[in-house]
Structure formats: structure tokens, C-alpha cells
Amino acid sequence: MTDSTTASRVVIRKEGALGRLTLDRPEAINALDLGMIEALTQALTAWVDDSDVQIVVIDGAGERGMCAGGDVRALHAQIVAGRADETAAFFRAEYALNAMIAEYPKPVVALADGITMGGGIGLAGHAAIRIVTERSKLAMPETRIGFTPDVGGTWLLGRAPGRFGEYFALTGATMTAADAVHLGFADHVVPSDRLDALREALAHRADPTGPSEIVLLFDETPEPSRLPAMREWVDEAFSAPSVVEIVARLRARDEPDAGVTADLLESLAPTALVVTLDAVREARALSGLRAALEGEYRRVLWFVDEHPDLVEGIRAQLVDKDRNPKWDPATLAELGPDAGAPAREYTPRHPLF
């Protein structure tokens, strides 16, 4: 092991052929702040031309998860204090890192063990080799705080089978390891107690076998995903042209889970749901991740600069924790036609790329 350093809550070191990046903020399930994003970016930049680094591994410290997402409490404090430019700078740095991981010239292996949500999906979901474990819990839960999926989440969601992209985007539901593979958010399932051995094999492989072949030696078939059994009612309801019609179709179904899903959607921020549906469907038709990130950037900064629901959602869920957000407007019926247009058409002060 060489070049071991700790910078901004990221442990950066080389182990054999590996460049290893470990998020090191376990008390917050490795939630990302700007310093962590900058440290990851700097290390990846340096390793592009480092012949000692043949494979990059991204993982998280602690037993709870790889990364619970961005530090939204800090973003809330910035917005409330009138420092929205700092929030925009955070998102620009984060999305540039997401694109860098997707386009990196060396194999990036992401170990999405445990909770991997929001910003964690931005790190793990675009890697060349994406590994989950029996402990993995993946989600894009942004609508739960009056927000919309970002970090390239719409790109992944838009390519999920059938209408599961709309379902997981709107509900923020959690994926198991098997679900993540089924949806295209992960490639392999490796038992958590074999991750150390996997890292060792990647670092010190004795032949030119590629990392994908090595990972296959540790891959185990998970329990079947529950999702195929849900496909009929999810596709029928979530193919509707609007959130109002999605809820209506769910109410008309006999499956108990469809009614539970309708109840959930009616409890979430109406504006966030409409913007999110629009974003996933836009991303489905786009040419690549960078275009999807640009669409997300417009919508995210519209929430930051123009709409109160993001601040209110973070307040209710994570700051005051009263779990009683006051959405604006409070119901889907109060939204006008094409309520997603202002976010879709928003022009941020600074371009993303």
C-alpha cells in the first residue's frame, strides 16, 4: 500500500494495481460535501496518467452504506442564508464528477454495499463495473423532500425496463440488490463478506485477466427480484400521461400495492412529482449522460432559486423532523397544465459544462 492520505473525508491510496477511493464519513453514511467531491475529482484526474493505477475502486467506510447522498442539511443552510451560488457550485462539481466516472479511461469498480442513495447513485451508478451486496439498499428518494432525481439518476431511470423508471423516480422506493441488477443500476451481486477478497484479487491479480472476469469469480446469483411480478400494474399505471392520471389508474387497480402507491404519491410534493415525471421522460429520449445531467441541472437550480418546496422538504424531513411539510401547492389538482415547464425551461446563471 502506498500514498495513503486522508483529504476532506476521503481516503486515497494505491494498493497494487488499484487506486482506491474510500468515502470516510461513516457517521453520516458517507454523505457527500464539496470537499469530498473535490478530493475524488483530484484523485481521478491524477490517476489518468499514473501507470501504477490500472483499476479504480470506489467504496465507503463503515457498515451502514457506501453513500447516503449529498449533505442536504448543508444545502438547506446555504439556501436559507441566501448563498444559493454555493449550492449551484456544489451541483456543478458533483455532476462533473459523475460524468468523469462514466467517461473514465480506466475501469472504475463501485462497491455499493449497504445504503447507496441519491449522490451515492451518482458515484456508483455510472461506474464501469457496479457491484451490490445482500445489504445493498439503492434509491433515488428526492421526491420525499420535494425535490427531483439528479446525479444522472434520470439517465438510469429512463433506461429501466418498462415503466419502472417512472415508478422508482416518483415514489423514491428502495431497490434490493436483485432489483438493482434487474433495473440496470448494478451489474453483479457479491456477498459483503467477500468484498475484501475481491479487492485483494483486483489489486494483485497474477495474470492479465480483466476486472470483469475477476468479479465474475465472486458473483453470486441473488434471490429473485420482486419486480417482474409488479410489472403489469406498474406499466399500466405509470405509462399515463400525467401524475394525476397515474394516481387515477393506480386507484382503479385491484392490487393492494397499487393503492398503497397512490396513497404515497398523494402525500408527496405535487410539484416535485410533475417535474420528476417530465425529467425521466425527457432523459429517456436523450443521447447520453451529459445531456441528462444538463436537464437535471436546470430543474435542480429551479428548485434552489425559484421554488420553496426543496427547503420545506428538507426542513420537515431532516432539520425539524416534524414530517409535516407544507407543499406549495398542496395538491396535484391545484397545479396548472404543463406544470413541469418552468423547471424544464429554466436557464441557470452558470452553465453546467
Side-chain angles (χ1 to χ4, degrees):
M1 183 184 299
T2 61
D3 297 351
S4 180
T5 62
T6 301
S8 302
R9 299 166 170 166
V10 178
V11 180
I12 302 165
R13 71 272 204 207
K14 292 189 281 188
E15 299 175 2
L18 289 187
R20 189 170 167 197
L21 301 170
T22 301
L23 308 180
D24 192 24
R25 195 184 179 191
E27 71 281 1
I29 319 181
N30 302 312
L32 294 169
D33 60 23
L34 182 58
M36 295 167 73
I37 290 167
E38 291 174 342
L40 292 166
T41 301
Q42 290 164 9
L44 288 170
T45 300
W47 287 343
V48 167
D49 297 318
D50 187 335
S51 60
D52 291 337
V53 174
Q54 299 173 29
I55 304 167
V56 174
V57 168
I58 303 176
D59 55 17
E63 295 295 314
R64 298 172 66 194
M66 176 187 176
C67 177
D71 188 346
V72 294
R73 288 185 185 85
L75 298 181
H76 177 273
Q78 289 173 355
I79 299 168
V80 170
R83 307 197 317 270
D85 283 350
E86 295 178 26
T87 305
F90 170 88
F91 287 118
R92 286 196 299 275
E94 184 176 29
Y95 299 171
L97 174 60
N98 302 149
M100 175 184 275
I101 290 170
E103 298 164 0
Y104 204 65
K106 300 177 181 182
V108 177
V109 181
L111 306 183
D113 184 28
I115 293 170
T116 305
M117 299 183 179
I121 298 290
L123 300 181
H126 308 303
I129 302 172
R130 304 164 301 172
I131 294 170
V132 287
T133 76
E134 79 285 353
R135 305 190 298 193
S136 293
K137 296 179 180 180
L138 278 64
M140 295 299 299
E142 287 77 10
T143 58
R144 307 291 180 102
I145 57 168
F147 201 33
T148 186
D150 65 336
V151 298
T154 61
W155 175 251
L156 298 170
L157 290 160
R159 276 145 190 79
R163 298 293 178 160
F164 280 123
E166 284 94 332
Y167 170 82
F168 278 92
L170 295 181
T171 64
T174 299
M175 308 169 199
T176 65
D179 296 341
V181 173
H182 182 78
L183 293 170
F185 276 68
D187 305 303
H188 302 282
V189 180
V190 174
S192 57
D193 63 5
R194 301 195 74 193
L195 292 179
D196 285 343
L198 171 60
R199 281 185 286 253
E200 179 73 12
L202 290 170
H204 302 291
R205 66 194 196 282
D207 58 55
T209 302
S212 294
E213 289 75 18
I214 292 173
V215 172
L216 282 173
L217 299 175
F218 295 84
D219 186 295
E220 290 194 2
T221 302
E223 293 294 319
S225 168
R226 71 197 192 285
L227 298 181
M230 300 167 52
R231 177 76 181 264
E232 181 184 349
W233 67 262
V234 167
D235 281 4
E236 194 271 335
F238 284 85
S239 62
S242 69
V243 179
V244 169
E245 179 62 22
I246 288 171
V247 173
R249 291 188 186 185
L250 289 168
R251 295 286 184 211
R253 300 289 306 193
D254 293 330
E255 294 87 353
D257 284 350
V260 171
T261 301
D263 291 342
L264 171 62
L265 294 180
E266 290 186 331
S267 75
L268 299 175
T271 301
L273 293 176
V274 170
V275 170
T276 295
L277 182 66
D278 188 56
V280 171
R281 290 182 172 171
E282 178 182 271
R284 183 176 284 133
L286 294 176
S287 60
L289 174 61
R290 282 182 176 261
L293 287 165
E294 288 181 322
E296 294 170 353
Y297 181 64
R298 292 194 303 274
R299 292 173 171 90
V300 162
L301 289 196
W302 180 77
F303 274 107
V304 170
D305 294 334
E306 303 290 333
H307 201 277
D309 277 0
L310 172 59
V311 166
E312 173 62 8
I314 298 173
R315 179 207 65 76
Q317 297 296 333
L318 299 169
V319 179
D320 297 339
K321 299 184 180 179
D322 59 26
R323 306 292 193 267
N324 187 32
K326 300 294 189 287
W327 304 126
D328 181 18
T331 67
L332 288 164
E334 296 173 68
L335 288 172
D338 197 12
R344 179 174 65 247
E345 298 167 0
Y346 187 66
T347 302
R349 286 188 292 275
H350 302 284
L352 174 56
F353 297 120

